[in-house]
Amino acid sequence: MMVLALAYLISVAVGVVVLAVALRRRSAPTPPETPAPTPAPVLGVDGGAEIRVILAATHQLAARLSTAA
């Protein structure tokens, strides 16, 4: 009976130590300072060119789907 009581007390002590280590206060690391983001370069693409690319892609897709059916 004495051995069981001693084992129980040791397990309780280990549990308390584990909780104390897990719950201790830790200083938060300071995040590294990041430089301010630079704006993206403006591309010289007009709206008409984008629309033509989109229309060409939809035309190709429609051609592929019509031959698949």
Side-chain angles (χ1 to χ4, degrees):
M1 185 68 176
M2 184 70 164
V3 173
L4 288 176
L6 183 62
Y8 176 75
L9 287 175
I10 290 174
S11 68
V12 168
V14 168
V16 168
V17 168
V18 167
L19 278 176
V21 168
L23 296 176
R24 71 177 179 205
R25 290 185 148 254
R26 293 183 294 271
S27 62
T30 57
E33 190 170 322
T34 57
T38 58
V42 178
L43 299 176
V45 178
D46 59 338
E50 291 181 13
I51 292 174
R52 283 192 294 273
V53 169
I54 292 171
L55 288 176
T58 55
H59 180 69
Q60 285 181 346
L61 182 62
R64 287 184 185 176
L65 291 177
S66 68
T67 57

